[in-house]
Amino acid sequence: MWEGLRLQVFLVCLGVAMCSHAPSPQDHAHRRRLSLHRHRERGKEGQVLHRSKRGWVWNQFFVIEEYTGPDPVLVGRLHSDVDSGNGNIKYILSGEGAGTIFVIDDKTGNIHATKTLDREEQAQYTLTAQAVARDTNKPLEPPSEFIVKVQDINDNPPEFLHGPYYARVPEMSSVGTSVIQVTATDADDPTYGNSARLVYSILQGQPYFSVEPQTGIIRTALPNMDREARQEYNVVIQAKDMAGHMGGLSGTTEVKITLTDVNDNPPKFPLSVYTMSIPEDKVVGEEVGRLKARDPDLGENGLVTYRLVEGDGLDVFEITTDSHTREGVIKLKKMVDFETKRAYTVRVEASNAHVDPRFIAWGPYKDTATVKIMVEDADEPPAFTAPTYSFEVEENAPDGTVVGRVHAKDTDVANSPIRYMIPRYTDVEQIFSISPEDGVIRTTRPLDRETQPWHNISVSATEISGHHQDAKVRVNIKVKDVNDNAPEFATQNEVRICENITPGKLIETVSAVDKDEMAHHQHFRFNLAPEVANNHNFSLKDNRDGTAGIYVTRKGFSWMSQNIYLLPIEINDSGSPPMSSTNSLTIRICSCDSKGTILSCNVEPYILPAGLSTGALIAILACIIILLAIVVLFVALRRQKKEPLIVFEEEDIRENIITYDDEGGGEEDTEAFDIATLQNPDGASGFPPRKDIKPELQFPYALGVRPAGNSVDVDDFIRTRVSDADGDPTAPPYDSIQIYGYEGRGSVAGSLSSLETVTTDSDLDYDYLQSWGPRFKKLADLYGTKDSAADADDC
């Protein structure tokens, strides 16, 4: 290939050189015209006129691109007619690339290219040539512009700028179906030779595809290409210049062609017969089994729908399509029973939802399969003969009364016996019982309709053998009414009338209620009790509508003498047997004004002054408030006078009441606080008084301190004691109380409680209680009797 390229470049260079040195016919004609013109001028004037004219000898120049020879390539030669060859003419070159790419010999006018040129970078250069005098640099000819063209050679291969390519074509397309067009470009000159004339060919992808040599359009070459057999193809396309001849350059690209899916395959079941099973205890909606028809098509073309077309299980089973797995799911539509029917057969049809009309002749696009469904026996719980039971029983019926009977049976083939029971949580009080063998329900006690008219219980039936499965049923028991309740007043209101009421006036309308169930034809009858049937105060009229009116029959009542009347009324119902009761109506006599307005119905308020005005009431209240203020002021002054002489700090512990919740130890208790020091400051010197014995008197008692016989009055005794206490200078002006929660042990005085007085002897003498007067007689008898009895025992 390179040898051919060198030969071509050599021939082109040789032709350019010959063209640049050989004068063209136009140049010869131009020269002849110039010579003829000069001859005519000479004949006319008789002399030769020398005018400075341009006499360039040049043509359009060419230079071959990519020339890599050792010497600069000769582009062409410039020559002027004024150049006589003596070297006085100087040629100057300017323009694109002058001095860098193109250089000129200023003596000969030869132009050379000093660098390798690339037509794809710049196809031509515009230059300007001028001849000037060498010594003066004055122009001898006007400037002349010329073009140097870069001669193209086939140095650029074709290129696919948009590769690789991806294309899609439906499967089963006919031969010649256009797939895609590929296009290559060549940087060489398309107007010169065949360097840019491209031809397309397929290198890889036969015999499935072909390509048009001139356009690059790829088409299918085989009919009925099946996507399910092969989906993708890698096709290699070549573009070659020089019209595909030997020596041309080429480029390739890859085209990935994918066959798209069409619905050309019907669904197909892998098996013709499927076997499934389902236990008889499955509920409606349970899944029985799955089956799937295969369709190799994709997307909508592969969608399959299922339906049951025939068989004895059309009303028992149904089929749906799983949207994820595209399987047909057979489900239970109605409960099955092993004891009734043990096997079903259905036929399932699978079909395409979308059919391509181009391939409808390839159909049918559906398939069928037979499904046999076996029903398996299961240990089912017993079944009651009724969904619920309702019974009635009369109230007050004796215990053991039969209410009704429930019945259940085993639906399995074994037909096991049934045992009945009442769950306790439905009959907490165990009002009913049931026979375990036959299901007869009885009462365990008399029932009261008025307490609970309905009883709702459950009965459980269990197989004696097997898995002990049970079934429950609801039993509603109504308690029938018996007339066992007497009627009574509907309300217990008190009737108030004025003492000056007019005779014959209706004062009350009474009505009755009955806890028993009243029928529409039943009613109440009202009568006055026999003991008041002939009274002259009030009368009763039965209205025959379940009510009765009470009337006044006399004139003039006195609420001061009798303000309440009790009127007994007998009420009878019409039940069977009839019941009656006597209810008392309370009638209160009240004091009224002339207009009949009740003022008072009680005796006590009437005794109070009546008719007090508002001003009088306010005055009375004011007096009471003033009196209370005076009393408070008086008490405050008394307390101020009795303040102690000794001024203590903010809080004196001697004024507190000290409570010990623990047991005191008497003389053995050395840790307890001794309040005697505060009660008697003189005892602080070291002689604390004893509390378990009678204290010795430090000062002589006044006369009358020890009562004698029966001549002592207790009041005088107390006053004497108070006077002695007030006049005692050693007694502090305060009191302090020390309390023990209970007595301690070891005290000389013994227990201070009176709980053991009856059983414990006491050494105290209570004879003086006889002289304390009648008020202490009971206490004196209590203790004096004990002493007398003790004396009798001693005797």
Side-chain angles (χ1 to χ4, degrees):
M1 183 177 69
W2 288 108
E3 291 178 356
L5 180 61
R6 291 193 186 97
L7 178 61
Q8 183 179 3
V9 171
F10 174 76
L11 293 175
V12 172
C13 294
L14 180 61
V16 171
M18 292 176 66
C19 291
S20 62
H21 288 85
S24 65
Q26 291 82 0
D27 294 335
H28 289 291
H30 179 65
R31 289 183 178 181
R32 283 195 297 270
R33 285 195 296 272
L34 291 177
S35 299
L36 180 60
H37 180 73
R38 284 196 293 271
H39 176 72
R40 290 176 180 176
E41 290 293 332
R42 185 183 298 112
K44 181 178 179 180
E45 300 291 339
Q47 59 180 356
V48 178
L49 299 178
H50 298 281
R51 291 188 297 176
S52 178
K53 291 185 178 180
R54 185 184 65 160
W56 297 108
V57 180
W58 60 278
N59 201 351
Q60 186 175 15
F61 298 119
F62 294 89
V63 61
I64 297 177
E65 66 172 334
E66 304 295 343
Y67 177 74
T68 58
D71 299 324
V73 63
L74 177 64
V75 179
R77 181 183 181 185
L78 299 179
H79 182 73
S80 176
D81 292 341
V82 298
D83 185 5
S84 58
N86 55 6
N88 294 328
I89 301 299
K90 180 181 179 180
Y91 295 97
I92 300 175
L93 185 66
S94 62
E96 294 178 333
T100 56
I101 300 176
F102 302 101
V103 295
I104 189 171
D105 188 345
D106 60 353
K107 294 181 180 181
T108 62
N110 292 333
I111 302 174
H112 291 81
T114 61
K115 296 182 178 180
T116 300
L117 301 181
D118 187 1
R119 189 199 68 83
E120 285 71 37
E121 292 184 1
Q122 188 167 346
Q124 65 181 17
Y125 297 87
T126 301
L127 300 172
T128 301
Q130 190 175 20
V132 298
R134 184 175 294 276
D135 53 352
T136 61
N137 286 332
K138 291 183 178 181
L140 300 178
E141 293 286 347
S144 180
E145 187 177 86
F146 64 95
I147 296 175
V148 178
K149 286 191 174 182
V150 181
Q151 185 69 45
D152 180 56
I153 64 173
N154 190 19
D155 60 341
N156 292 281
E159 293 182 355
F160 291 91
L161 301 180
H162 303 290
Y165 294 87
Y166 298 89
R168 300 165 66 89
V169 63
E171 63 173 332
M172 299 296 172
S173 297
S174 59
V175 176
T177 301
S178 176
V179 180
I180 193 175
Q181 182 178 12
V182 296
T183 303
T185 58
D186 196 320
D188 294 325
D189 188 359
T191 64
Y192 178 76
N194 294 327
S195 298
R197 186 179 177 185
L198 305 180
V199 174
Y200 298 94
S201 61
I202 183 169
L203 300 182
Q204 177 180 321
Q206 301 95 340
Y208 307 104
F209 301 94
S210 63
V211 64
E212 293 183 356
Q214 305 302 325
T215 61
I217 297 176
I218 300 175
R219 300 181 183 274
T220 58
L222 283 181
N224 301 329
M225 286 191 293
D226 191 6
R227 182 199 66 82
E228 288 73 32
R230 183 178 178 182
Q231 184 174 359
E232 293 185 351
Y233 297 84
N234 292 326
V235 179
V236 179
I237 302 297
Q238 180 190 63
K240 189 174 183 181
D241 59 10
M242 299 299 292
H245 293 82
M246 184 178 297
L249 303 179
S250 63
T252 61
T253 187
E254 183 177 0
V255 183
K256 295 184 177 181
I257 301 175
T258 302
L259 297 183
T260 58
D261 183 65
V262 297
N263 191 11
D264 59 337
N265 295 281
K268 186 70 176 177
F269 283 109
L271 302 175
S272 59
V273 178
Y274 292 84
T275 302
M276 302 177 183
S277 61
I278 181 173
E280 63 173 339
D281 58 352
K282 293 294 184 180
V283 298
V284 174
E286 289 277 355
E287 180 179 322
V288 179
R290 293 175 176 241
L291 69 165
K292 184 176 183 181
R294 297 175 181 174
D295 192 333
D297 296 324
L298 302 177
E300 292 184 352
N301 299 323
L303 292 179
V304 180
T305 57
Y306 302 89
R307 68 188 185 99
L308 303 179
V309 292
E310 60 183 12
D312 57 357
L314 295 180
D315 57 340
V316 180
F317 304 97
E318 61 182 356
I319 189 169
T320 59
T321 303
D322 191 322
S323 59
H324 297 286
T325 62
R326 312 308 306 171
E327 294 176 314
V329 183
I330 299 178
K331 296 182 178 180
L332 189 63
K333 185 179 179 181
K334 188 171 67 174
M335 294 286 291
V336 294
D337 186 12
F338 174 80
E339 289 73 26
T340 304
K341 188 175 179 61
R342 302 186 179 185
Y344 295 88
T345 301
V346 293
R347 193 164 185 82
V348 181
E349 179 187 85
S351 60
N352 282 138
H354 305 279
V355 179
D356 195 331
R358 296 177 298 173
F359 309 102
I360 195 170
W362 297 13
Y365 285 87
K366 57 184 178 181
D367 192 18
T368 58
T370 302
V371 181
K372 295 182 178 179
I373 303 174
M374 311 301 296
V375 180
E376 298 178 349
D377 187 23
D379 187 13
E380 298 176 292
F384 283 94
T385 56
T388 59
Y389 292 89
S390 296
F391 302 120
E392 293 182 351
V393 61
E394 288 187 355
E395 67 173 327
N396 302 324
D399 55 338
T401 300
V402 176
V403 177
R405 181 187 179 190
V406 297
H407 180 67
K409 62 180 181 178
D410 184 11
T411 58
D412 298 324
V413 178
N415 194 18
S416 301
I418 305 300
R419 182 177 297 275
Y420 303 92
M421 65 171 294
I422 298 176
R424 288 301 93 188
Y425 65 87
T426 65
D427 185 17
V428 179
E429 299 180 1
Q430 300 184 11
I431 301 175
F432 302 95
S433 64
I434 188 170
S435 177
E437 292 79 14
D438 55 10
V440 176
I441 301 174
R442 293 179 171 86
T443 61
T444 61
R445 69 191 69 172
L447 305 180
D448 185 11
R449 188 202 69 85
E450 288 71 37
T451 302
Q452 188 172 353
W454 282 90
H455 294 271
N456 300 315
I457 63 173
S458 294
V459 174
S460 174
T462 308
E463 297 178 13
I464 296 179
S465 60
H467 295 86
H468 302 288
Q469 298 192 58
D470 64 340
K472 293 182 176 61
V473 70
R474 193 72 174 174
V475 179
N476 304 317
I477 302 173
K478 179 182 178 181
V479 182
K480 297 173 63 176
D481 184 49
V482 174
N483 192 25
D484 58 346
N485 289 278
E488 57 186 10
F489 280 151
T491 59
Q492 296 292 338
N493 295 333
E494 182 181 79
V495 181
R496 297 185 177 187
I497 63 175
C498 295
E499 58 183 351
N500 57 351
I501 189 170
T502 305
K505 184 177 181 180
L506 175 67
I507 61 173
E508 181 70 4
T509 299
V510 294
S511 60
V513 293
D514 195 330
K515 294 180 180 180
D516 295 322
E517 185 176 0
M518 296 291 294
H520 295 291
H521 62 277
Q522 294 181 353
H523 61 276
F524 298 110
R525 298 190 304 274
F526 298 87
N527 296 289
L528 292 178
E531 61 269 20
V532 295
N534 298 320
N535 77 94
H536 302 287
N537 299 323
F538 306 99
S539 63
L540 181 145
K541 179 184 179 182
D542 194 341
N543 298 325
R544 305 295 181 180
D545 60 355
T547 63
I550 309 300
Y551 296 87
V552 178
T553 58
R554 86 169 197 180
K555 179 179 180 182
F557 291 90
S558 174
W559 69 283
M560 292 294 293
S561 59
Q562 183 177 354
N563 65 333
I564 292 180
Y565 291 86
L566 298 179
L567 183 64
I569 299 175
E570 187 180 273
I571 308 174
N572 297 272
D573 61 15
S574 58
S576 178
M579 300 290 291
S580 65
S581 66
T582 301
N583 298 263
S584 295
L585 178 65
T586 302
I587 303 173
R588 185 178 293 275
I589 309 301
C590 300
S591 174
C592 304
D593 58 11
S594 59
K595 297 180 180 180
T597 303
I598 296 176
L599 299 178
S600 176
C601 294
N602 297 321
V603 177
E604 291 79 2
Y606 184 78
I607 300 175
L608 296 176
L612 292 177
S613 64
T614 306
L617 292 176
I618 295 175
I620 293 172
L621 292 176
C623 294
I624 294 173
I625 293 173
I626 293 173
L627 291 176
L628 290 176
I630 293 173
V631 172
V632 171
L633 180 60
F634 178 75
V635 172
L637 293 176
R638 289 288 301 271
R639 288 185 178 181
Q640 185 175 6
K641 291 180 179 180
K642 291 185 177 181
E643 288 182 355
L645 300 176
I646 303 174
V647 180
F648 297 95
E649 298 296 332
E650 294 180 357
E651 183 177 0
D652 193 343
I653 192 171
R654 291 172 295 182
E655 295 180 356
N656 295 335
I657 298 176
I658 302 173
T659 303
Y660 292 89
D661 291 334
D662 54 349
E663 182 178 358
E667 285 81 357
E668 297 176 1
D669 188 0
T670 58
E671 297 180 359
F673 177 76
D674 190 2
I675 199 64
T677 304
L678 299 179
Q679 291 178 340
N680 188 8
D682 296 338
S685 59
F687 299 93
R690 295 289 301 273
K691 296 183 179 180
D692 54 343
I693 61 175
K694 292 182 179 180
E696 297 180 357
L697 297 178
Q698 297 178 358
F699 299 97
Y701 283 104
L703 295 176
V705 170
R706 179 66 176 177
N710 298 328
S711 62
V712 178
D713 189 358
V714 176
D715 294 332
D716 296 336
F717 174 80
I718 295 175
R719 282 194 295 269
T720 303
R721 288 300 186 185
V722 172
S723 176
D724 294 343
D726 292 340
D728 188 2
T730 62
Y734 48 80
D735 296 325
S736 180
I737 301 175
Q738 186 175 9
I739 299 174
Y740 289 90
Y742 50 87
E743 297 81 40
R745 300 179 181 274
S747 175
V748 178
S751 176
L752 301 179
S753 173
S754 61
L755 298 178
E756 299 179 355
T757 303
V758 179
T759 58
T760 305
D761 293 337
S762 176
D763 56 354
L764 298 180
D765 185 8
Y766 299 99
D767 291 340
Y768 60 89
L769 294 177
Q770 300 292 338
S771 62
W772 281 18
R775 295 183 181 181
F776 296 89
K777 184 177 185 303
K778 187 68 176 177
L779 186 62
D781 293 341
L782 178 62
Y783 287 92
T785 304
K786 178 179 181 299
D787 294 341
S788 302
D791 294 340
D793 292 338
D794 293 339
C795 295

